[in-house]
Amino acid sequence: MSEHHPPLRSYGRLKSRPIKPRQAALVEQRLPELRIPAGAVEPAALMPNARETWLEIGFGGGEHMAAQAGRHPDVLVLGAEPFTNGVASAVRHIDEQGLSNVRLHDGDVRELIARLPAASLARVFILFPDPWPKARHHKRRLVQPETVAELARVLKPGGRLRFASDWADYVDWALARIGEDSSFAWQADRADDWRVPPADHVTTRYEEKRLGDCAPVFLDFVRA
């Protein structure tokens, strides 16, 4: 019998600066009710009247996730982020904006995806994930064939996947691996389709830092 090994972590540190006491208290109060329950995830049980269910993978500080949830109150927005400070920031955004259509997974998104039913999501966002720029670390990148296959499983036909990065090598990597899966069709017809932020995009703090080696690139795919 082969020994089972968990997947390599696709993210780095889990915490940076200490969380301020007031924010820590808010997290302690709100996160238990915002956290996606353990076990099989049934979106209809989390928000019975939701028109659709969306997932943001690695929501960072939660700005994009909260803004999308605010714009689409009839959509259930799931967010996954292992970084403690990011989760605390997201909880604050959710609380301040009075959002009732966001649920959080404070851990590895692959564990959450495995618990989602097939064809349960209408949109997935992967915005500026950890690029793991060194070649020896590429195996830690989130976008791998097995992850792409799982996203194809949980996305509905016609569902949309958006990947964005400001690292040229990761853009090429993602385009190759997602493009290799026949379940996805890239929607670009001209250069502006990947160079210009989509009309519904919300700029994040990380994006504004411009830490990569190229201007932000946006790849939109549709689930066949």
Side-chain angles (χ1 to χ4, degrees):
M1 181 180 296
S2 61
E3 184 179 353
H4 174 73
H5 294 280
L8 289 170
R9 268 178 37 175
S10 62
Y11 46 90
R13 59 185 181 174
L14 293 176
K15 186 177 180 181
S16 59
R17 63 188 183 280
I19 299 173
K20 296 178 180 179
R22 183 176 178 182
Q23 197 164 3
L26 181 62
V27 170
E28 184 177 358
Q29 175 190 352
R30 296 296 314 278
L31 185 56
E33 66 192 61
L34 293 170
R35 185 180 281 125
I36 298 169
V41 179
E42 183 49 63
L46 297 176
M47 185 177 169
N49 298 320
R51 173 175 58 86
E52 293 180 343
T53 302
W54 298 0
L55 169 65
E56 180 162 348
I57 298 175
F59 55 70
E63 303 98 336
H64 176 275
M65 177 178 63
Q68 294 288 5
R71 292 176 179 179
H72 305 278
D74 58 344
V75 170
L76 170 63
V77 180
L78 308 179
E81 173 61 61
F83 189 46
T84 304
N85 299 75
V87 173
S89 175
V91 170
R92 177 175 57 83
H93 285 302
I94 293 167
D95 189 72
E96 289 178 352
Q97 298 178 39
L99 301 173
S100 59
N101 58 328
V102 183
R103 302 299 293 270
L104 305 178
H105 175 70
D106 49 332
D108 192 323
V109 71
R110 292 169 295 185
E111 188 273 333
L112 172 62
I113 292 172
R115 297 192 282 123
L116 286 169
S120 58
L121 302 180
R123 295 197 73 176
V124 173
F125 299 94
I126 306 174
L127 306 179
F128 305 95
D130 193 323
W132 294 102
K134 295 180 180 178
R136 68 177 184 272
H137 292 153
H138 285 179
K139 59 189 176 183
R140 292 186 178 273
R141 286 176 167 174
L142 174 70
V143 178
Q144 304 287 347
E146 54 270 25
T147 309
V148 174
E150 271 291 271
L151 291 176
R153 182 185 69 82
V154 297
L155 270 167
K156 298 177 179 180
R160 292 174 288 167
L161 167 63
R162 175 173 297 161
F163 174 91
S165 179
D166 52 5
W167 286 88
D169 178 69
Y170 203 177
V171 172
D172 292 341
W173 172 283
L175 187 56
R177 279 144 189 83
I178 300 172
E180 286 169 357
D181 191 311
S182 60
S183 298
F184 290 102
W186 187 28
Q187 297 300 289
D189 293 318
R190 52 187 181 139
D192 278 359
D193 289 338
W194 67 80
R195 291 176 180 168
V196 177
D200 63 346
H201 177 63
V202 179
T203 303
T204 67
R205 284 184 299 171
Y206 176 87
E207 182 182 348
E208 290 175 339
K209 292 178 180 179
R210 296 297 176 97
L211 299 176
D213 60 3
C214 69
V217 175
F218 300 86
L219 306 178
D220 277 349
F221 301 87
V222 168
R223 172 71 166 88

